[in-house]
Amino acid sequence: MSETAYHSDLLTEIEAWMKRAGATDAHYQAILDRVLRDFACTAGTIHSLGPQSKVLHLRARRNIPDGMLPRIQRIPIGKGMAGLAAERRQPVQVCNLQTDASGAAQPGAKETGTEGCIAVPILAGDQVLGVLGIAKPTAYEFNEREITLLMEIGTVIGKFLVNGESRIRNGG
């Protein structure tokens, strides 16, 4: 299978999960697990952002220590990698979280034991609806092809988040 066909299959599978039952935490978890597997990552999160909210809310996680939960369940826009990705509407990555001095990651993020990590915004047009974050156990810089695919995954998730929020607001 060509790389393009593989990417198309991945996006189609994620879209099918979201269509079946909408944006449920179980579907977020399934999507996160699939993305982690396909990108050879060991840890990750998906956060959503409600309408007119300034705080990201944790929807799915894998291999994030329980001791970090109080700090990652609600992340203010602009704080940490996820908050910065949401604020900038752009991916934020760190090649080695354990030695990073850029200030993009919060000091407590080192507790994950991961190194190469990236947070990408989940978008619907220019509206930020959440953030997808994944991390590898070794130093790593995600390339443009990988970043593009992660952004496309975010767009698929975003399409269903915006529709799900509309149904909730309209009583559906």
Side-chain angles (χ1 to χ4, degrees), residues 129-147:
L129 299 171
V131 175
L132 166 65
I134 60 174
K136 293 182 175 277
T138 58
Y140 187 81
E141 187 164 336
F142 291 84
N143 63 44
E144 285 303 314
R145 180 185 49 78
E146 293 168 316
I147 294 169

Side-chain angles (χ1 to χ4, degrees), residues 6-7 10 33-42 118 132 134-136 140 142-143 145-151 153:
Y6 173 77
H7 292 168
L10 174 61
D33 289 341
R34 172 70 194 263
V35 171
L36 292 175
R37 186 181 77 231
D38 286 12
F39 282 84
C41 290
T42 55
I118 188 167
L132 166 65
I134 60 174
K136 293 182 175 277
Y140 187 81
F142 291 84
N143 63 44
R145 180 185 49 78
E146 293 168 316
I147 294 169
T148 297
L149 180 56
L150 287 166
M151 292 294 291
I153 291 167

Side-chain angles (χ1 to χ4, degrees), residues 2-77:
S2 74
E3 187 174 316
T4 302
Y6 173 77
H7 292 168
S8 178
D9 284 351
L10 174 61
L11 294 171
T12 300
E13 183 175 342
I14 290 170
E15 190 165 1
W17 279 331
M18 299 299 283
K19 280 182 180 176
R20 276 196 292 271
T24 67
D25 288 349
H27 285 88
Y28 286 125
Q29 191 65 54
I31 290 166
L32 178 61
D33 289 341
R34 172 70 194 263
V35 171
L36 292 175
R37 186 181 77 231
D38 286 12
F39 282 84
C41 290
T42 55
T45 60
I46 295 178
H47 286 83
S48 64
L49 181 67
Q52 300 172 5
S53 177
K54 300 286 186 200
V55 178
L56 294 162
H57 296 271
L58 183 66
R59 300 295 296 266
R61 70 178 172 118
R62 177 68 63 210
N63 294 327
I64 304 297
D66 289 342
M68 290 184 67
L69 277 179
R71 290 175 285 181
I72 68 164
Q73 285 177 323
R74 295 173 44 95
I75 299 175
I77 298 300

Side-chain angles (χ1 to χ4, degrees), residues 101-163:
S102 71
Q106 294 293 303
K110 293 180 180 183
E111 293 174 33
T112 62
T114 60
E115 294 185 11
C117 53
I118 188 167
V120 297
I122 296 171
L123 301 170
D126 66 347
Q127 181 183 5
V128 178
L129 299 171
V131 175
L132 166 65
I134 60 174
K136 293 182 175 277
T138 58
Y140 187 81
E141 187 164 336
F142 291 84
N143 63 44
E144 285 303 314
R145 180 185 49 78
E146 293 168 316
I147 294 169
T148 297
L149 180 56
L150 287 166
M151 292 294 291
E152 289 173 357
I153 291 167
T155 298
V156 169
I157 296 169
K159 180 169 47 172
F160 289 92
L161 271 175
V162 76
N163 289 337

